[in-house]
Amino acid sequence: MKILHISAECFPIAKVGGLADVVGALPKYQKDLGATSSVVMPYYNNTFTQNNTFETLHDHYISLGHEYYHFKVLKLTNHQLGFDLFCIDIPDLLYTEFVYSNADTKRFLAFQIATLDWILTLKATPDIIHVHDHHAGLIPFMMSCSFKYASLKNIPTVLTIHNAQYQGWFSHALANLIPPFNYEKTGLLDWDGSINSLAAAIKCAWSVTTVSPTYLEELKIKANGLEALLQHESKKCTGILNGIDWNVWNPETDERLLKNFSKTTVISGKKANKKWLCKEFNLDIKKPLFAFIGRLVGEKGADLFSDIFEQALTENKISILLLGSGHAATEVELAAIPKENFNTFIGYDEKLAHIMYAGADFLLMPSRVEPCGLNQMYSLRYGTVPIVNATGGLKDTIIDIDEKAGFGIVHDGVTVEKVTTAIHKATNYYHAKAFKKNLKRIMAIDHSWNNSAAAYVHLYKSLKH
Ligand code: ADP
């Protein structure tokens, strides 16, 4: 079975968040299950594309309304990823240093059209086309309604929703950018008066998955306007929990760490990494270290961070280290917190993230929305106790220490009070006997892709005629 994943992000080529990690890992694990998966993504101007060589497989023009754009399909020549990577090179639109911008309607429409134009030329077409989020969301519509893609109509399509907040809206006045289609089908593109790429994908894909079972249930109640649609289409929707790349995220071999460790050496291994962090960020190694890694946006609870941190630092003898970037107002608020037992790295740093998962004692995730969340799984793998709000995938993966077989700290809702209470509980737990024993236990929890990759393959098989 040949699967083609279509996505705006893929680790390690271009990553903004969890979408990249999933698209960069899932194909490898599907391969182990006998499915040949490959990935198509835009060709951005970044370190990966500059440092690797690509061969040109296809060279042509696409039309976007009345405009023509030159595009190439490039294939990565080395085999480092464990799957084939195809990049759509449209120099005028996609070859940028950033992944997302304010001109994304045109950029991602061009990406999707070029991808389908290329698929039309293939002798062996994929058995399944798997699109990720709204950036590839018009593909199922175009395959079923655009005249030029009629020959692709019978290829089953799967949409995975990683984040339903962003939906790829644009005006019906731009409908002429989509390759000509039967205008009676315009309703499939529409949601609430505008073209909505994610809604079109939910309507037209043969099957829809969300990245955790709880997220699917939540979306039926709160989905940035798409609730009724998800309820209506619920029969073709499944929640499949993401996994993590067990080889990339392995504290025994992770080259980014100061010291590697296993379940048996977790205490000394974590200490060495914590020592480096404390030295680098001027923190006290004797105090429990709470970390946050991620985007500074409302979904992650970031607007409350300065209040939470100031109160938690006053009430407890702890240190807090934050790695992330996002809303300018939040960055300013964080900069105003005195650098006593507190520090930040504002920016993106993959190596530092790994060291923080390894060296911190607790990982904070007071997310209001968390479709799956990968950080809590990385944190478990590296023996760091996650403190999470009971939402989405966090609810599906973390059990509170007060519950039977519990191993993390779970709060119900995101307020300064609730999060600081959870931090206080964690501080007490840090000094309890059970704490060190728990680290070995959490490291043994299996969140590798094995189960989830098999669930996807099972789903693909159910769609084949
Ligand atoms: P989301 O996709 O909503 O941002 P996820 O938990 O699904 O959240 O994935 C976040 C991924 O991005 C994790 O691999 C996390 O370590 C990484 N990450 C987020 N922000 C940063 C940052 N500033 N530096 C390094 N890694 C980051």
Side-chain angles (χ1 to χ4, degrees):
M1 197 181 353
K2 287 200 304 294
I3 323 296
L4 192 64
H5 291 274
I6 305 177
S7 169
E9 299 178 38
C10 176
F11 182 83
I13 303 96
K15 170 169 164 176
V16 178
L19 169 64
D21 287 350
V22 173
V23 177
L26 180 58
K28 286 193 253 185
Y29 289 83
Q30 290 182 328
K31 196 172 179 184
D32 296 342
L33 297 167
T36 314
S37 283
S38 41
V39 172
V40 188
M41 69 181 298
Y43 188 68
Y44 301 111
N45 178 8
N46 60 26
T47 332
F48 187 94
T49 55
Q50 283 160 15
N51 294 335
N52 285 276
T53 50
F54 292 80
E55 61 174 306
T56 302
L57 297 186
H58 186 75
D59 188 334
H60 220 280
Y61 286 86
I62 51 156
S63 65
L64 201 59
H66 300 302
E67 294 172 1
Y68 286 86
Y69 290 92
H70 181 212
F71 84 97
K72 284 183 186 167
V73 179
L74 309 176
K75 184 180 177 198
L76 181 67
T77 47
N78 64 47
H79 300 288
Q80 59 170 299
L81 299 177
F83 54 85
D84 284 341
L85 174 78
F86 304 100
C87 290
I88 303 293
D89 181 21
I90 310 181
D92 292 342
L93 295 173
L94 296 175
Y95 193 64
T96 49
E97 282 160 22
F98 45 81
V99 174
Y100 304 116
S101 74
N102 293 330
D104 283 351
T105 299
K106 243 181 162 182
R107 294 175 74 229
F108 287 111
L109 246 175
F111 165 61
Q112 296 174 82
I113 293 169
T115 301
L116 287 180
D117 280 7
W118 168 58
I119 294 173
L120 275 182
T121 69
L122 297 176
K123 276 199 203 91
T125 48
D127 297 307
I128 300 280
I129 291 195
H130 190 153
V131 303
H132 296 266
D133 275 352
H134 74 81
H135 324 102
L138 290 173
I139 283 183
F141 172 83
M142 293 194 276
M143 285 170 66
S144 53
C145 301
S146 284
F147 305 118
K148 73 188 286 199
Y149 304 126
S151 61
L152 307 178
K153 215 185 200 132
N154 292 324
I155 302 178
T157 48
V158 176
L159 160 74
T160 293
I161 305 177
H162 298 255
N163 192 335
Q165 276 305 104
Y166 313 103
Q167 299 173 1
W169 308 266
F170 59 98
S171 155
H172 279 284
L174 297 178
N176 68 318
L177 299 184
I178 301 173
F181 55 91
N182 176 355
Y183 276 100
E184 283 172 18
K185 303 284 186 186
T186 305
L188 291 172
L189 291 171
D190 182 85
W191 195 253
D192 232 359
S194 61
I195 295 181
N196 182 316
S197 308
L198 190 66
I202 295 169
K203 293 179 200 178
C204 299
W206 292 31
S207 179
V208 176
T209 70
T210 62
V211 290
S212 72
T214 295
Y215 188 50
L216 177 56
E217 292 316 306
E218 289 173 352
L219 287 180
K220 291 179 192 161
I221 301 161
K222 199 162 176 259
N224 205 5
L226 298 183
E227 305 76 18
L229 178 59
L230 283 149
Q231 283 165 25
H232 181 72
E233 298 286 2
S234 71
K235 279 209 185 82
K236 67 174 180 189
C237 299
T238 331
I240 302 178
L241 196 66
N242 285 336
I244 58 173
D245 195 319
W246 218 232
N247 300 322
V248 172
W249 295 91
N250 180 354
E252 291 189 50
T253 53
D254 190 337
E255 286 171 5
R256 296 176 171 102
L257 302 191
L258 278 302
K259 188 172 177 190
N260 291 111
F261 57 93
S262 65
K263 285 195 283 292
T264 41
T265 55
V266 56
I267 305 296
S268 60
K270 285 186 74 68
K271 198 169 174 190
N273 287 286
K274 182 174 176 180
K275 193 172 166 194
W276 183 87
L277 288 172
C278 290
K279 190 157 175 259
E280 196 77 4
F281 291 97
N282 195 26
L283 302 168
D284 180 356
I285 189 156
K286 288 194 220 77
K287 296 190 171 120
L289 177 59
F290 291 71
F292 172 85
I293 300 166
R295 295 177 294 122
L296 300 176
V297 295
E299 286 178 13
K300 307 281 181 195
D303 48 306
L304 301 181
F305 282 4
S306 64
D307 289 344
I308 292 171
F309 295 166
E310 287 195 290
Q311 190 172 323
L313 287 164
T314 314
E315 290 175 353
N316 308 282
K317 291 193 170 81
I318 60 171
S319 308
I320 300 177
L321 179 60
L322 173 142
L323 163 63
S325 63
H327 283 167
T330 304
E331 293 182 9
V332 171
E333 283 167 14
L334 291 170
I337 301 177
K339 295 277 179 299
E340 202 177 318
N341 299 315
F342 175 75
N343 217 333
T344 59
F345 183 99
I346 301 296
Y348 189 93
D349 190 325
E350 192 75 27
K351 181 177 161 82
L352 178 58
H354 283 243
I355 301 173
M356 285 172 70
Y357 288 117
D361 298 298
F362 297 96
L363 185 84
L364 291 163
M365 294 186 79
S367 307
R368 294 191 177 95
V369 182
E370 197 61 82
C372 174
L374 297 171
N375 299 17
Q376 80 279 18
M377 302 195 224
Y378 298 143
S379 130
L380 293 172
R381 178 101 161 117
Y382 284 66
T384 298
V385 178
I387 303 176
V388 306
N389 178 37
T391 188
L394 299 176
K395 196 170 171 181
D396 291 333
T397 50
I398 309 299
I399 307 173
D400 187 84
I401 46 170
D402 290 339
E403 305 287 320
K404 193 169 162 238
F407 50 83
I409 292 182
V410 182
H411 50 91
D412 202 358
V414 182
T415 62
V416 175
E417 214 43 55
K418 287 185 176 173
V419 181
T420 49
T421 305
I423 293 176
H424 189 65
K425 178 169 163 177
T427 310
N428 289 337
Y429 183 51
Y430 178 78
H431 297 291
K433 256 196 192 150
F435 181 77
K436 284 187 179 162
K437 229 168 138 192
N438 188 39
L439 303 187
K440 293 188 205 307
R441 266 183 65 212
I442 61 178
M443 285 182 74
I445 299 173
D446 184 355
H447 279 299
S448 67
W449 267 105
N450 294 334
N451 295 334
S452 320
Y456 278 111
V457 171
H458 183 74
L459 175 72
Y460 301 148
K461 284 187 179 154
S462 74
L463 300 176
K464 286 295 295 168
H465 9 239

